[in-house]
Amino acid sequence: MDNQTLLLIDGFNLLSRGYFATSYGKEPEQLTKSSKGVYTNALRIFFQKTFHLISQYKMTHLAVVWDVKKDETTRRLKHDFYKATRSDLPDPLIQQFETCKEVLEGIGIQQISVPAYEADDVIGTLAKKWCKNQYGHCYIYSNDKDLFQLLSSNISQIIGGKKGDSVYSLQHFQDDYCITPEQWIDVKALLGDKSDNIPGCPGIGEKSALPLIQLYGSIEHIYEQMDVLDPRFNRYKNKLIEGKNLAFISKELSAIICQMDELNAFLFDDLQVKILKERVMAEFNELELKMKYA
């Protein structure tokens, strides 16, 4: 399997971005539907992008990775505030999520979700396992910057933007932040994440979090050096001391799990791209999506 290429798609990241990009300012009844009443505005974006990625990057292996329900994750079970501020998803998006899974199964694209784990954990475990076995390069498709902690010489992230996709590599990350990808977890521990309701260290913002980790390497070393903290960070000293417990909880919540026993026996042969072209057209015709798969 040398020189193979794996693509791991953060399924809900892609589907939800497609949904909100095409539903902004619209009521549900204004969204694109098939004649049978099936919403398709996000599905069109999802499949266009998926097929484009396969073609552009010559992917030999592919999986769409899905989250489990937020209330069922290991992080939420341990810390009930985690992602507690997220609002319910709109019904048209939920419907398209179910439809998307059905279509993917029908056309032969593998999907993976593991009970109690988030998509990031599944992606992290599979990406690291793929590279450990030296199969080739792994691309992660997602706009989630949390995944930067997974970057390596053999793992890159494809990020979608208004001007098209860009491949974000280990070198890009090091040039931008001057830390290792693993230290990104410590930056997140200090900053927190409003979207996930991760508290971080209150009072520590972007102007201080990254410089602190660049200098000390980790939050553990920051607290070990608190008595001799660099004078330029004196104004943050009390905030660091007061927020110590939250910072360590935030680091635990921010760290992607890259070793899951549930995937120890996982076989990448099952992810070989074997799309059933005749089924693609049948599924698209059923949804009245005027798209082609070359």
Side-chain angles (χ1 to χ4, degrees):
M1 285 179 63
D2 291 343
N3 298 318
Q4 304 296 292
T5 307
L6 171 66
L7 171 63
L8 298 172
I9 295 177
D10 184 350
F12 207 76
N13 183 273
L14 173 55
L15 188 69
S16 62
R17 284 193 297 113
Y19 175 82
F20 289 110
T22 53
S23 65
Y24 182 76
K26 296 179 181 179
E27 296 297 324
E29 58 270 16
Q30 296 175 295
L31 301 178
T32 307
K33 294 186 210 175
S34 71
S35 58
K36 294 182 179 179
V38 178
Y39 290 100
T40 60
N41 60 306
L43 294 173
R44 178 184 299 278
I45 302 292
F46 185 95
F47 287 106
Q48 280 180 338
K49 178 57 63 180
T50 297
F51 293 147
H52 174 74
L53 291 168
I54 295 169
S55 174
Q56 182 173 357
Y57 298 99
K58 311 299 181 187
M59 302 301 179
T60 60
H61 295 69
L62 166 67
V64 175
V65 183
W66 298 110
D67 284 305
V68 297
K69 292 181 179 179
K70 65 182 181 181
D71 293 341
E72 300 173 358
T73 66
T74 54
R75 292 176 181 84
R76 182 63 178 270
L77 292 173
K78 187 172 182 180
H79 301 285
D80 59 4
F81 60 84
Y82 178 66
K83 292 190 176 181
T85 54
R86 290 198 175 184
S87 56
D88 292 335
L89 298 171
D91 288 339
L93 176 55
I94 295 173
Q95 185 195 89
Q96 289 178 87
F97 167 59
E98 297 298 337
T99 305
C100 188
K101 290 192 294 182
E102 292 172 5
V103 173
L104 287 169
E105 183 176 359
I107 66 178
I109 292 180
Q110 297 299 314
Q111 306 171 77
I112 305 172
S113 64
V114 179
Y117 291 95
E118 297 178 54
D120 288 3
D121 301 321
V122 179
I123 289 171
T125 298
L126 292 179
K128 296 293 186 181
K129 185 179 177 74
W130 173 270
C131 295
K132 183 179 180 181
N133 289 318
Q134 299 182 334
Y135 292 145
H137 205 83
C138 174
Y139 291 95
I140 298 167
Y141 185 82
S142 179
N143 277 36
D144 187 352
K145 291 185 177 181
D146 292 349
L147 293 162
F148 285 176
Q149 63 188 270
L150 301 177
L151 295 171
S152 73
S153 58
N154 291 312
I155 301 174
S156 301
Q157 187 168 339
I158 303 173
I159 301 172
K162 292 181 179 179
K163 296 182 179 180
D165 297 335
S166 60
V167 177
Y168 197 74
S169 67
L170 172 63
Q171 190 61 56
H172 289 127
F173 177 84
Q174 290 174 329
D175 289 345
D176 287 344
Y177 298 103
C178 299
I179 57 174
T180 67
E182 291 77 17
Q183 290 172 315
W184 188 243
I185 305 168
D186 293 273
V187 174
K188 294 277 294 181
L190 293 174
L191 283 178
D193 188 328
K194 287 185 178 180
S195 67
D196 289 341
N197 204 33
I198 296 176
C201 185
I204 304 299
E206 292 185 4
K207 290 183 179 179
S208 52
L210 181 59
L212 277 163
I213 301 305
Q214 287 171 336
L215 181 61
Y216 292 103
S218 69
I219 61 171
E220 287 82 0
H221 288 153
I222 291 172
Y223 287 104
E224 287 171 6
Q225 299 295 315
M226 192 59 65
D227 291 339
V228 289
L229 197 69
D230 188 288
R232 64 182 144 145
F233 298 115
N234 278 345
R235 59 183 293 198
Y236 303 109
K237 193 169 184 177
N238 288 336
K239 293 173 181 176
L240 286 165
I241 293 170
E242 292 168 3
K244 181 178 180 179
N245 186 50
L246 289 177
F248 279 96
I249 291 173
S250 298
K251 182 169 182 175
E252 177 190 347
L253 290 170
S254 299
I256 293 173
I257 299 167
C258 294
Q259 179 59 51
M260 296 164 49
D261 292 341
E262 292 84 347
L263 294 174
N264 281 345
F266 186 85
L267 298 175
F268 285 104
D269 287 346
D270 296 338
L271 302 188
Q272 288 188 44
V273 177
K274 297 178 180 178
I275 296 175
L276 307 173
K277 294 184 180 181
E278 67 281 0
R279 289 296 305 155
V280 173
M281 294 316 301
E283 294 284 356
F284 286 176
N285 288 337
E286 176 69 19
L287 292 169
E288 298 164 19
L289 290 173
K290 295 179 180 179
M291 295 167 52
K292 294 182 180 180
Y293 172 64

